Short mmCIF file of all heavy atoms in Angstrom, two decimals:
data_model
loop_
_atom_site.label_atom_id
_atom_site.label_comp_id
_atom_site.label_asym_id
_atom_site.label_seq_id
_atom_site.Cartn_x
_atom_site.Cartn_y
_atom_site.Cartn_z
N MET A 38 5.73 2.35 -21.31
CA MET A 38 5.51 1.87 -19.94
C MET A 38 5.38 0.38 -19.89
O MET A 38 4.62 -0.21 -20.67
CB MET A 38 4.32 2.63 -19.35
CG MET A 38 3.82 2.13 -17.98
SD MET A 38 2.55 3.03 -17.39
CE MET A 38 3.34 4.36 -16.54
N THR A 39 6.11 -0.22 -18.88
CA THR A 39 5.86 -1.60 -18.68
C THR A 39 5.15 -1.83 -17.33
O THR A 39 5.53 -1.26 -16.33
CB THR A 39 7.18 -2.39 -18.74
OG1 THR A 39 7.76 -2.20 -19.94
CG2 THR A 39 6.95 -3.93 -18.49
N ALA A 40 4.07 -2.56 -17.34
CA ALA A 40 3.35 -2.69 -16.08
C ALA A 40 4.01 -3.48 -15.00
O ALA A 40 4.71 -4.47 -15.37
CB ALA A 40 1.92 -3.29 -16.43
N LYS A 41 3.61 -3.11 -13.79
CA LYS A 41 4.05 -3.99 -12.65
C LYS A 41 2.97 -5.04 -12.54
O LYS A 41 1.78 -4.88 -12.84
CB LYS A 41 4.07 -3.17 -11.33
CG LYS A 41 5.27 -2.14 -11.35
CD LYS A 41 5.34 -1.57 -9.92
CE LYS A 41 6.03 -0.20 -10.01
NZ LYS A 41 5.23 0.89 -9.50
N ILE A 42 3.47 -6.22 -12.02
CA ILE A 42 2.56 -7.34 -12.01
C ILE A 42 1.81 -7.49 -10.64
O ILE A 42 2.52 -7.32 -9.59
CB ILE A 42 3.35 -8.71 -12.24
CG1 ILE A 42 4.22 -8.66 -13.44
CG2 ILE A 42 2.38 -9.93 -12.23
CD1 ILE A 42 3.54 -8.39 -14.76
N LEU A 43 0.55 -7.49 -10.67
CA LEU A 43 -0.23 -7.65 -9.41
C LEU A 43 -0.32 -9.21 -9.15
O LEU A 43 -1.18 -9.87 -9.77
CB LEU A 43 -1.62 -7.04 -9.53
CG LEU A 43 -1.92 -5.76 -9.05
CD1 LEU A 43 -3.17 -5.14 -9.43
CD2 LEU A 43 -1.70 -5.69 -7.51
N ASP A 44 0.57 -9.66 -8.28
CA ASP A 44 0.82 -11.07 -8.14
C ASP A 44 -0.22 -11.68 -7.13
O ASP A 44 0.00 -11.58 -5.80
CB ASP A 44 2.25 -11.38 -7.82
CG ASP A 44 2.61 -12.85 -7.68
OD1 ASP A 44 1.61 -13.70 -7.56
OD2 ASP A 44 3.75 -13.14 -7.75
N GLY A 45 -1.35 -12.20 -7.58
CA GLY A 45 -2.43 -12.73 -6.66
C GLY A 45 -1.89 -13.87 -5.80
O GLY A 45 -2.34 -14.02 -4.69
N ARG A 46 -1.01 -14.59 -6.32
CA ARG A 46 -0.41 -15.79 -5.51
C ARG A 46 0.27 -15.29 -4.36
O ARG A 46 0.14 -15.77 -3.25
CB ARG A 46 0.41 -16.69 -6.36
CG ARG A 46 -0.32 -17.49 -7.34
CD ARG A 46 0.54 -18.64 -8.04
NE ARG A 46 -0.23 -19.27 -9.00
CZ ARG A 46 0.00 -19.30 -10.26
NH1 ARG A 46 0.98 -18.53 -10.80
NH2 ARG A 46 -0.77 -19.97 -11.12
N LYS A 47 1.19 -14.21 -4.63
CA LYS A 47 1.99 -13.69 -3.50
C LYS A 47 1.20 -12.99 -2.51
O LYS A 47 1.43 -13.26 -1.29
CB LYS A 47 3.08 -12.75 -4.14
CG LYS A 47 4.11 -12.19 -3.27
CD LYS A 47 5.30 -11.66 -4.06
CE LYS A 47 6.06 -10.78 -3.10
NZ LYS A 47 5.95 -9.36 -3.43
N ILE A 48 0.26 -12.17 -2.98
CA ILE A 48 -0.59 -11.41 -1.99
C ILE A 48 -1.28 -12.44 -1.16
O ILE A 48 -1.56 -12.33 0.01
CB ILE A 48 -1.48 -10.46 -2.79
CG1 ILE A 48 -0.59 -9.44 -3.43
CG2 ILE A 48 -2.46 -9.78 -1.81
CD1 ILE A 48 -1.32 -8.44 -4.47
N SER A 49 -1.88 -13.44 -1.87
CA SER A 49 -2.73 -14.57 -1.13
C SER A 49 -1.88 -15.17 -0.09
O SER A 49 -2.41 -15.34 1.09
CB SER A 49 -3.18 -15.54 -2.13
OG SER A 49 -4.19 -15.13 -2.89
N LYS A 50 -0.66 -15.46 -0.33
CA LYS A 50 0.26 -16.11 0.53
C LYS A 50 0.37 -15.28 1.97
O LYS A 50 0.28 -15.70 2.97
CB LYS A 50 1.62 -16.32 -0.06
CG LYS A 50 2.30 -17.58 0.42
CD LYS A 50 3.58 -17.77 -0.41
CE LYS A 50 4.49 -18.73 0.38
NZ LYS A 50 5.77 -18.82 -0.29
N GLU A 51 0.56 -13.98 1.69
CA GLU A 51 0.69 -13.03 2.79
C GLU A 51 -0.62 -13.01 3.68
O GLU A 51 -0.60 -13.11 4.91
CB GLU A 51 0.86 -11.53 2.36
CG GLU A 51 2.35 -11.33 1.73
CD GLU A 51 2.37 -10.05 0.91
OE1 GLU A 51 1.53 -9.07 1.27
OE2 GLU A 51 3.19 -9.94 0.12
N ILE A 52 -1.77 -12.95 2.91
CA ILE A 52 -3.03 -12.96 3.74
C ILE A 52 -3.23 -14.29 4.44
O ILE A 52 -3.66 -14.32 5.59
CB ILE A 52 -4.18 -12.59 2.70
CG1 ILE A 52 -4.00 -11.26 2.17
CG2 ILE A 52 -5.58 -12.61 3.48
CD1 ILE A 52 -4.96 -10.94 0.91
N LYS A 53 -2.84 -15.32 3.72
CA LYS A 53 -3.01 -16.69 4.36
C LYS A 53 -2.24 -16.85 5.64
O LYS A 53 -2.66 -17.62 6.51
CB LYS A 53 -2.79 -17.84 3.30
CG LYS A 53 -3.95 -17.99 2.36
CD LYS A 53 -3.62 -19.26 1.61
CE LYS A 53 -4.37 -19.26 0.29
NZ LYS A 53 -3.68 -20.02 -0.74
N GLN A 54 -1.10 -16.24 5.64
CA GLN A 54 -0.23 -16.33 6.79
C GLN A 54 -0.91 -15.70 7.99
O GLN A 54 -0.98 -16.26 9.07
CB GLN A 54 1.05 -15.55 6.46
CG GLN A 54 2.31 -16.09 7.32
CD GLN A 54 2.42 -17.58 7.28
OE1 GLN A 54 2.44 -18.23 6.17
NE2 GLN A 54 2.43 -18.22 8.45
N ASN A 55 -1.63 -14.62 7.79
CA ASN A 55 -2.47 -14.01 8.89
C ASN A 55 -3.58 -14.96 9.32
O ASN A 55 -3.96 -15.01 10.45
CB ASN A 55 -3.02 -12.63 8.46
CG ASN A 55 -1.98 -11.56 8.42
OD1 ASN A 55 -0.96 -11.73 9.03
ND2 ASN A 55 -2.15 -10.50 7.54
N ILE A 56 -4.25 -15.48 8.19
CA ILE A 56 -5.41 -16.43 8.51
C ILE A 56 -4.91 -17.56 9.45
O ILE A 56 -5.59 -17.96 10.34
CB ILE A 56 -6.07 -16.87 7.18
CG1 ILE A 56 -6.63 -15.74 6.43
CG2 ILE A 56 -7.03 -18.01 7.48
CD1 ILE A 56 -7.19 -16.16 5.10
N ILE A 57 -3.68 -18.11 9.17
CA ILE A 57 -3.22 -19.17 9.96
C ILE A 57 -3.03 -18.76 11.47
O ILE A 57 -3.50 -19.44 12.32
CB ILE A 57 -1.83 -19.70 9.41
CG1 ILE A 57 -2.10 -20.45 8.07
CG2 ILE A 57 -1.07 -20.72 10.37
CD1 ILE A 57 -0.83 -20.79 7.28
N THR A 58 -2.46 -17.64 11.56
CA THR A 58 -2.25 -17.15 12.92
C THR A 58 -3.53 -16.91 13.64
O THR A 58 -3.67 -17.34 14.81
CB THR A 58 -1.44 -15.83 12.90
OG1 THR A 58 -0.32 -15.94 12.08
CG2 THR A 58 -1.01 -15.29 14.27
N GLU A 59 -4.59 -16.31 12.95
CA GLU A 59 -5.78 -16.03 13.58
C GLU A 59 -6.55 -17.39 13.98
O GLU A 59 -7.27 -17.49 14.92
CB GLU A 59 -6.69 -15.17 12.78
CG GLU A 59 -6.16 -13.76 12.71
CD GLU A 59 -7.33 -12.76 12.39
OE1 GLU A 59 -8.36 -12.87 13.03
OE2 GLU A 59 -7.05 -11.84 11.49
N THR A 60 -6.42 -18.31 13.07
CA THR A 60 -7.04 -19.69 13.32
C THR A 60 -6.48 -20.38 14.52
O THR A 60 -7.22 -20.86 15.30
CB THR A 60 -6.83 -20.53 11.97
OG1 THR A 60 -7.37 -19.85 10.96
CG2 THR A 60 -7.50 -21.86 12.21
N GLU A 61 -5.12 -20.20 14.64
CA GLU A 61 -4.42 -20.86 15.80
C GLU A 61 -5.03 -20.12 17.11
O GLU A 61 -5.31 -20.82 18.07
CB GLU A 61 -2.90 -20.77 15.69
CG GLU A 61 -2.35 -21.67 14.63
CD GLU A 61 -0.88 -21.35 14.34
OE1 GLU A 61 -0.36 -20.31 14.85
OE2 GLU A 61 -0.32 -22.08 13.49
N ASN A 62 -5.01 -18.82 17.00
CA ASN A 62 -5.54 -18.02 18.24
C ASN A 62 -7.03 -18.42 18.61
O ASN A 62 -7.37 -18.65 19.78
CB ASN A 62 -5.54 -16.55 17.89
CG ASN A 62 -4.00 -16.06 17.89
OD1 ASN A 62 -3.12 -16.77 18.39
ND2 ASN A 62 -3.81 -14.99 17.37
N LEU A 63 -7.89 -18.58 17.58
CA LEU A 63 -9.22 -18.98 17.83
C LEU A 63 -9.30 -20.34 18.50
O LEU A 63 -10.15 -20.54 19.45
CB LEU A 63 -10.00 -19.15 16.47
CG LEU A 63 -10.86 -17.88 15.96
CD1 LEU A 63 -11.68 -18.36 14.78
CD2 LEU A 63 -11.75 -17.37 17.06
N GLU A 64 -8.51 -21.21 18.06
CA GLU A 64 -8.50 -22.54 18.59
C GLU A 64 -8.05 -22.49 20.03
O GLU A 64 -8.64 -23.12 20.94
CB GLU A 64 -7.68 -23.46 17.71
CG GLU A 64 -8.21 -24.91 17.81
CD GLU A 64 -7.57 -25.85 16.86
OE1 GLU A 64 -6.70 -25.55 16.01
OE2 GLU A 64 -7.95 -27.02 16.91
N LYS A 65 -6.93 -21.74 20.28
CA LYS A 65 -6.40 -21.60 21.59
C LYS A 65 -7.45 -21.06 22.62
O LYS A 65 -7.67 -21.52 23.68
CB LYS A 65 -5.19 -20.78 21.60
CG LYS A 65 -3.87 -21.59 21.61
CD LYS A 65 -2.63 -20.70 21.64
CE LYS A 65 -1.64 -20.94 20.59
NZ LYS A 65 -0.95 -19.80 20.17
N GLU A 66 -8.15 -19.98 22.20
CA GLU A 66 -8.93 -19.13 23.00
C GLU A 66 -10.30 -19.77 23.24
O GLU A 66 -10.90 -19.79 24.20
CB GLU A 66 -9.06 -17.71 22.41
CG GLU A 66 -9.27 -16.74 23.64
CD GLU A 66 -9.13 -15.28 23.09
OE1 GLU A 66 -8.32 -15.06 22.25
OE2 GLU A 66 -10.01 -14.51 23.36
N TYR A 67 -10.79 -20.30 22.13
CA TYR A 67 -12.30 -20.78 22.10
C TYR A 67 -12.47 -22.26 21.81
O TYR A 67 -13.51 -22.80 21.94
CB TYR A 67 -13.20 -20.04 21.12
CG TYR A 67 -13.28 -18.56 21.46
CD1 TYR A 67 -12.36 -17.63 20.86
CD2 TYR A 67 -14.17 -18.06 22.36
CE1 TYR A 67 -12.50 -16.33 21.11
CE2 TYR A 67 -14.22 -16.76 22.65
CZ TYR A 67 -13.39 -15.78 21.99
OH TYR A 67 -13.45 -14.48 22.31
N GLY A 68 -11.41 -22.95 21.50
CA GLY A 68 -11.41 -24.32 21.13
C GLY A 68 -12.21 -24.69 19.87
O GLY A 68 -12.69 -25.72 19.64
N ILE A 69 -12.33 -23.57 19.01
CA ILE A 69 -13.06 -23.88 17.73
C ILE A 69 -12.08 -23.68 16.49
O ILE A 69 -11.22 -22.90 16.52
CB ILE A 69 -14.37 -23.09 17.48
CG1 ILE A 69 -13.88 -21.60 17.29
CG2 ILE A 69 -15.26 -23.16 18.69
CD1 ILE A 69 -14.93 -20.91 16.36
N LYS A 70 -12.44 -24.39 15.47
CA LYS A 70 -11.69 -24.27 14.17
C LYS A 70 -12.71 -23.72 13.21
O LYS A 70 -13.88 -24.27 13.11
CB LYS A 70 -11.35 -25.60 13.56
CG LYS A 70 -9.91 -26.07 13.97
CD LYS A 70 -9.82 -27.41 13.19
CE LYS A 70 -8.50 -28.09 13.66
NZ LYS A 70 -7.80 -28.93 12.85
N PRO A 71 -12.38 -22.72 12.34
CA PRO A 71 -13.37 -22.26 11.28
C PRO A 71 -13.67 -23.45 10.39
O PRO A 71 -12.78 -24.29 9.98
CB PRO A 71 -12.57 -21.28 10.49
CG PRO A 71 -11.44 -20.72 11.46
CD PRO A 71 -11.16 -21.91 12.31
N GLY A 72 -14.91 -23.67 10.08
CA GLY A 72 -15.37 -24.88 9.30
C GLY A 72 -16.03 -24.41 8.04
O GLY A 72 -17.01 -23.59 8.12
N LEU A 73 -15.73 -25.03 6.92
CA LEU A 73 -16.28 -24.73 5.70
C LEU A 73 -16.89 -26.05 5.08
O LEU A 73 -16.20 -27.04 4.94
CB LEU A 73 -15.26 -24.12 4.70
CG LEU A 73 -15.81 -23.79 3.27
CD1 LEU A 73 -16.83 -22.70 3.24
CD2 LEU A 73 -14.64 -23.55 2.34
#
Side-chain angles (χ1 to χ4, degrees):
M38 171 177 274
T39 304
K41 292 191 201 119
I42 311 300
L43 262 172
D44 186 340
R46 288 194 182 109
K47 187 163 161 249
I48 297 167
S49 284
K50 211 172 162 189
E51 287 166 25
I52 299 171
K53 279 189 204 152
Q54 209 46 56
N55 289 335
I56 296 176
I57 291 170
T58 308
E59 287 207 46
T60 301
E61 286 167 356
N62 291 343
L63 263 190
E64 208 170 358
K65 264 188 231 144
E66 211 172 318
Y67 297 96
I69 69 148
K70 270 185 188 208
L73 176 69

